[in-house]
Amino acid sequence: EAEDIPLDEAMEHNQTATLELRLCHPENDRLERELKANGRLTDEMLAAAPQIDGYSLMRVRGKDDAICYVCDEVELSMEDFASAKADKSLFNEGFYEVSGKLTPDGRGRLARLTRDYQPHGAKNPSDLGRALAIVVNGELVAAPIIQAEIDMGEFLITGKFTKEEAVNLAAALNSKNSEEN
């Protein structure tokens, strides 16, 4: 298994990136509120935070006060992404994002996952959808809430990337595909 390399370091050294989608704990909001009840999240507080089997506590990249208990099980990985490109962000001025297409298997897996964990989905009786962690090189980039089934075969990652980070992540996703051919 490859060692997780911090995103910034991987981009500086043009190393292959890893991209994974993982579910967040079903009670992540409550767990986060309990941790924040003691004030600003410090490294010491996070080190002393309750451990939950099958989940790792991660900070959201660039947001010191945002954390998530991320499932250790990977739902979608590099093999599920067919192609990628970097673009200027439509949502965050001055930043870049990575978009692209999923493989047919990746599209099916994402559709099942989002269908099952949307509000009142087969594996989620809650009125709220589950958070889906986007993990790049072992670093939590974002954890959007699943609102509905996603069956489009395309993806968009808006992690407030610099141009270089977005270009290098897209290149890493595309190089994975060129290595297979």
Side-chain angles (χ1 to χ4, degrees):
E1 186 173 325
E3 177 182 332
D4 287 337
I5 301 166
L7 181 61
D8 296 334
E9 183 181 323
M11 297 310 156
E12 284 177 15
H13 299 292
N14 237 0
Q15 297 177 1
T16 301
T18 60
L19 175 60
E20 301 170 336
L21 300 184
R22 305 179 192 185
L23 286 168
C24 295
H25 192 278
E27 295 185 38
N28 191 72
D29 287 346
R30 178 186 59 79
L31 294 165
E32 183 177 19
R33 275 192 311 276
E34 288 174 3
L35 283 174
K36 287 181 175 181
N38 296 325
R40 187 163 180 81
L41 294 174
T42 64
D43 290 338
E44 293 79 21
M45 288 171 63
L46 293 179
Q51 300 296 309
I52 299 175
D53 284 342
Y55 291 87
S56 299
L57 182 57
M58 302 175 84
R59 280 188 195 262
V60 178
R61 178 179 181 253
K63 297 182 180 179
D64 287 342
D65 264 8
I67 56 103
C68 190
Y69 279 92
V70 177
C71 186
D72 295 336
E73 183 178 330
V74 175
E75 300 290 342
L76 277 88
S77 65
M78 293 288 284
E79 292 73 31
D80 296 304
F81 297 89
S83 64
K85 65 179 182 166
D87 293 303
K88 284 187 178 180
S89 178
L90 299 174
F91 306 103
N92 298 300
E93 190 174 328
F95 291 100
Y96 287 75
E97 57 197 22
V98 178
S99 63
K101 297 188 182 303
L102 296 166
T103 64
D105 284 345
R107 178 181 181 173
R109 290 168 50 146
L110 183 60
R112 276 189 302 282
L113 178 71
T114 54
R115 182 176 52 246
D116 286 348
Y117 290 99
Q118 68 184 337
H120 302 288
K123 296 182 179 180
N124 180 30
S126 172
D127 290 337
L128 302 173
R130 283 277 286 276
L132 183 63
I134 300 170
V135 180
V136 178
N137 285 357
E139 194 173 3
L140 180 58
V141 172
I145 304 297
I146 299 169
Q147 299 293 331
E149 179 179 345
I150 300 171
D151 186 23
M152 300 183 314
E154 297 179 355
F155 66 91
L156 177 65
I157 303 171
T158 59
K160 293 188 175 182
F161 296 110
T162 66
K163 181 178 182 180
E164 182 181 9
E165 289 171 335
V167 166
N168 285 328
L169 176 56
L173 288 168
N174 290 324
S175 70
K176 182 264 322 171
N177 295 318
S178 64
E179 290 171 6
E180 293 173 356
N181 296 329

